[in-house]
Amino acid sequence: MAKKINVVSTVSTILFLFLSAVEAQSGALDVVAKFGAKADEKTDLSKPLSDAWKEACASATPATILIPKGVYLLSQATLEGPCKAPIEVQLQGTIKAPTDPQAFKEAKWIEFNKVENFKMSGGGVFDGQGTRAYKREGCDKKDFCSALPINIRFDFLTNAMIQDITTRDSKQFHINLLGCKNITLERVSVRAPQDSPNTDGIHIGRSDGVNIIDADIRTGDDCISIGDGTKHLDVKGVTCGPGHGISIGSLGKFENEEPLEGITISKCVMSDTTNGVRIKSWAGEFPGTASDIHFEDITVKNVSCPVIIDQKYCPSNKCKMNEESNVKLSKISFKNIHGTAALPEVVKIICSGRFPCEDVELADIDITYSGPKGPAVSECKNVKPKITGKQNPPACAAPVPPNPTPTV
Ligand SMILES: *[C@@H]1O[C@H](CO)[C@@H](O)[C@H](O)[C@H]1NC(C)=O
Ligand SMILES: *[C@@H]1O[C@H](CO)[C@@H](O)[C@H](O)[C@H]1NC(C)=O
């Protein structure tokens, strides 16, 4: 009898060790199996997720949080470090936000903050359910509008890798990077309606060493927008459209903006966007600098304004249009930009009268416009670019109209 018990307990010990080994190996802190999450679209994922995060973050060895396939509701999540060891989130399911814009007190839905050695992947979806927010329902007070949540915030992450995730229908920007160092976003998809307001795909500010590779971004506002203090950003193999294109700026809107430098945008395809590649700074307003910015191997398809520097940016006349921008732009190149435009002003380089652009290069620009509004033209102001290679239309050959068409 005693022997039998011994056998049973040995077997169960072995079984226990085996199962523990499997769990350790798969590394999974499964929010459903271990933390009581339910993929029923109504049970709030907030507590299970933050409990899983707490355990993962306190672990002395690398930990993985698993959100299995299924559809979850999440009211809000702030997932903060510092953590003891590398941490990974495997998102396989779809996480949905509350549809009501008033359910949010701050301009965020999911935030990862102060995490080092962070990884996220899994093919899952962050669904901001923004349809009601786009109609500005319950958004009569202006300050409330400004608190519409950003789908995913990456704040102060160091050494991070984000792969194979989708963000859709965010109520505001889809992904926002602030104060990050060495972060790569690879194969990220963004989906929002063409007419959804302020739904920038990826916004980067005050971050150093950001790589955005093979993203596919279809939205209502900027595909990628790049704010002040961005350094060493590499954007490669991104497709954009619909939306407003890839934009540096707007710059000069606020006091004490940090220098922006070392940006390369290459091998991107822009389809049916309002702009292709653009740098914009406000007319008048505050000082700033942006330099070492290179756009290379860009294909445009039916893009309204493919190549643009606009230092008279002044949406809704919220500035003094007759004043010159105080942002100084230098070392900028546009190389091998080709394709078709939806409007005739295909190259528009309007620099500041106070700080003319320095060291600008236009090389191999070949953009055609075949609509009814006359031939394709290239306009330049307060800039003397170095011109090389093929230039179609002839570089800087057209006169600049006294009131250039405002861009959005
Ligand atoms: C940058 O982050 C990645 C993780 O995404 C890491 O593998 C790499 O070592 C980091 N590079 C540096 C210079 O720390
Ligand atoms: C080109 O873009 C314009 C304006 O964005 C749009 O109205 C038009 O349908 C597009 N044309 C084609 C052929 O896609």
Side-chain angles (χ1 to χ4, degrees):
M1 195 67 185
K3 203 164 186 186
K4 215 172 186 180
I5 287 168
N6 233 337
V7 169
V8 169
S9 86
T10 307
V11 166
S12 60
T13 304
I14 288 167
L15 196 61
F16 173 78
L17 288 172
F18 174 74
L19 288 174
S20 307
V22 166
E23 187 186 282
Q25 202 184 26
S26 71
L29 295 171
D30 183 327
V31 292
V32 173
K34 238 186 133 181
F35 297 92
K38 288 200 181 71
D40 60 4
E41 289 189 57
K42 46 180 206 277
T43 307
D44 192 351
L45 180 63
S46 189
K47 183 157 189 323
L49 182 57
S50 74
D51 288 349
W53 182 267
K54 264 179 221 146
E55 185 167 328
C57 193
S59 164
T61 54
T64 299
I65 295 168
L66 173 66
I67 303 165
K69 281 201 162 61
V71 185
Y72 306 82
L73 175 74
L74 172 67
S75 56
Q76 203 274 326
T78 301
L79 305 171
E80 277 180 302
C83 297
K84 287 206 170 130
I87 196 162
E88 178 171 350
V89 173
Q90 270 281 329
L91 174 64
Q92 295 173 355
T94 293
I95 303 181
K96 290 187 170 182
T99 56
D100 183 1
Q102 311 221 44
F104 297 86
K105 302 281 168 281
E106 291 174 276
K108 62 183 188 187
W109 177 36
I110 298 167
E111 176 188 29
F112 296 92
N113 192 352
K114 301 190 197 84
V115 191
E116 223 173 286
N117 301 316
F118 176 67
K119 208 173 160 200
M120 179 155 68
S121 61
V125 179
F126 296 91
D127 185 346
Q129 303 213 87
T131 311
R132 283 180 58 188
Y134 302 153
K135 295 185 208 139
R136 296 296 188 245
E137 275 179 24
C139 187
D140 37 30
K141 275 180 280 158
K142 226 183 164 194
D143 53 347
F144 174 67
C145 275
S146 65
L148 284 172
I150 288 171
N151 255 12
I152 313 167
R153 281 183 181 270
F154 296 119
D155 293 340
F156 308 100
L157 300 192
T158 302
N159 301 343
M161 174 69 84
I162 315 298
Q163 288 170 315
D164 303 301
I165 57 150
T166 295
T167 154
R168 65 182 316 130
D169 298 336
S170 180
K171 295 179 179 69
Q172 221 230 85
F173 289 6
H174 280 85
I175 296 176
N176 191 84
L177 271 64
L178 174 71
C180 293
K181 285 203 178 89
N182 181 28
I183 178 169
T184 297
L185 279 71
E186 195 171 16
R187 295 182 300 272
V188 166
S189 299
V190 176
R191 294 288 183 277
Q194 181 166 11
D195 59 358
S196 57
N198 210 20
T199 51
D200 292 23
I202 302 171
H203 178 81
I204 302 140
R206 305 203 171 188
S207 294
D208 191 343
V210 178
N211 304 293
I212 299 175
I213 305 165
D214 297 336
D216 177 9
I217 300 174
R218 309 175 198 178
T219 190
D221 209 301
D222 288 339
C223 174
I224 297 175
S225 57
I226 301 156
D228 78 288
T230 301
K231 293 190 171 113
H232 311 111
L233 165 66
D234 196 358
V235 173
K236 194 181 287 169
V238 172
T239 58
C240 299
H244 294 177
I246 295 180
S247 191
I248 295 180
S250 53
L251 301 173
K253 178 65 183 156
F254 302 103
E255 223 172 332
N256 302 320
E257 288 187 358
E258 292 178 12
L260 181 150
E261 65 188 38
I263 314 278
T264 303
I265 315 284
S266 64
K267 298 186 173 64
C268 295
V269 179
M270 333 279 296
S271 305
D272 303 303
T273 49
T274 52
N275 302 284
V277 287
R278 165 165 73 156
I279 303 173
K280 58 183 177 180
S281 75
W282 287 69
E285 306 293 332
F286 297 100
T289 64
S291 73
D292 205 358
I293 300 170
H294 307 283
F295 302 99
E296 211 170 311
D297 304 326
I298 309 289
T299 304
V300 292
K301 297 177 183 168
N302 191 38
V303 168
S304 300
C305 195
V307 174
I308 171 164
I309 292 179
D310 177 11
Q311 294 208 266
K312 282 274 186 189
Y313 185 65
C314 193
S316 337
N317 275 315
K318 278 188 245 155
C319 63
K320 301 196 180 85
M321 196 58 183
N322 58 338
E323 288 184 6
E324 295 298 329
S325 171
N326 292 305
V327 174
K328 187 165 172 34
L329 303 181
S330 61
K331 285 198 217 154
I332 295 159
S333 68
F334 298 94
K335 288 184 184 168
N336 188 25
I337 320 271
H338 59 269
T340 60
L343 290 173
E345 288 173 296
V346 303
V347 176
K348 196 151 74 165
I349 314 250
I350 310 295
C351 293
S352 165
R354 181 169 299 155
F355 297 103
C357 296
E358 276 175 16
D359 203 355
V360 173
E361 183 177 0
L362 294 173
D364 296 300
I365 311 282
D366 185 3
I367 302 167
T368 56
Y369 166 72
S370 52
K373 296 184 178 163
V377 295
S378 167
E379 303 164 350
C380 301
K381 193 175 180 187
N382 301 317
V383 58
K384 290 196 184 74
K386 177 180 165 199
I387 294 163
T388 58
K390 182 170 182 178
Q391 294 290 331
N392 173 35
C396 304
V400 177
N403 296 307
T405 335
T407 63
V408 286

